[in-house]
Amino acid sequence: MYKDFGDSWQKVTAGEADELLAVSLAEILCRCAGEGGSARLVVPESDPPSEGAEDGAQDGPGCRHSPGREASPGEGGRSPEERPAGLPSKRRRIEPAGFHSTLRLLELSTEAEVADFFRKNLPSYRAESGVLAFLYSLIQTKGAGRLRREMGDSEEALVDPVHGHGSQSLTNLLVTGRAVAHVWDNVKYVGGIALEGVVSQPSVGFLTLLERLHYCTVGWNLKNPRYPVWVLASETHLTVLFSPDGRLTAPPSARQVAQRSFDALDKDQAGFLPTSQLPELMAACDLVAEEEYVDLMRRQLDPDQLGIVLKVPFLDEFFPETADGRPPDSFTVYHYNGLTRSNPGGKVRLVKGDACLLETDVQSSTANSTILTCLQSRWPRIDVRWHGAAPSIN
């Protein structure tokens, strides 16, 4: 969207929005497949029968789709005004056996083929069970074995069986293509166990209210996606914040790359390394690693001969902080919450906000500003003047 529409994104037509959705679903699925892997799509052939429905009757408006046929605009979910008489307006209780009997599996080898499939079959994935079919597609594409290895904790479920909340592994799978359970960068070692985090800069970022409340720390990768779009997490819900201002994102600076190299060697996250590892560190940072120069820097970085190199002095020596890459002092943001009950008047809409970075950090953790509290985990000095009531992230 940012590349194709720029500042005209608000004028996107319904057809263009469908195209963006199809391409996005294909990108998510193929990212899970990995390089050289194929996408395995679980296709809902028709609306599943609900419990109590008569044999042979379909309790819903969906039609059976044949491969490659594009459904008519009315298929796969209708507004209350379009709903046929006698069809219950409340969400149906889907009978599992009936639902699974309608599914088929389709394997496609290229992202272009997957995108074309979604273009022709979007109504099926917009229908009542479409999200579940896409979740099944993710699992099939990733493979149960790879999925479990990435999650690490064999006791964790992708979806909470009691409340239905998606786990952090599921969120990471959708955002990054890997179902790791942690939000920090790279790998951390805890008690000798390697715990994997996010290893690269994703297209879409992730921020959580729990970080500002000191329950976790989101790493640089998720806070700095390639595009200015972030999934915002409260304790129970996910919403979306985005900005048309491309200055909010940037590739990692030389200092940030060097910090990652330091952290990769500092397995205990102690903030220092033994001087014996200085040659390896300098080579990893693409610095001159000749013995004479390394000895000179060892004496300079460890003047008290304690046998350690501290992270901050090392970074300041070779990669001093610059003004490059700093965010703008003011920018526009938009927030989207898809729950009708969380929007004023029960109408889902985008909420615009004018953000600015103040002179000092803002410490906001009141019930009326949970979204600001969440955003402060990324921009500690941020304040936002919303056009209307402050949106909810719950």
Side-chain angles (χ1 to χ4, degrees), residues 162-194:
V162 177
H163 303 289
H165 299 155
S167 66
Q168 187 63 51
S169 291
L170 178 56
T171 301
N172 286 347
L173 179 65
L174 289 161
V175 170
T176 71
R178 300 183 72 249
V180 295
H182 309 289
V183 293
W184 53 61
D185 290 340
N186 303 317
V187 179
K188 284 191 176 182
Y189 293 85
V190 179
I193 300 174

Side-chain angles (χ1 to χ4, degrees), residues 339-350:
L339 290 180
T340 55
R341 66 174 181 267
S342 299
N343 287 267
K347 183 178 180 181
V348 176
R349 64 186 183 90
L350 283 177

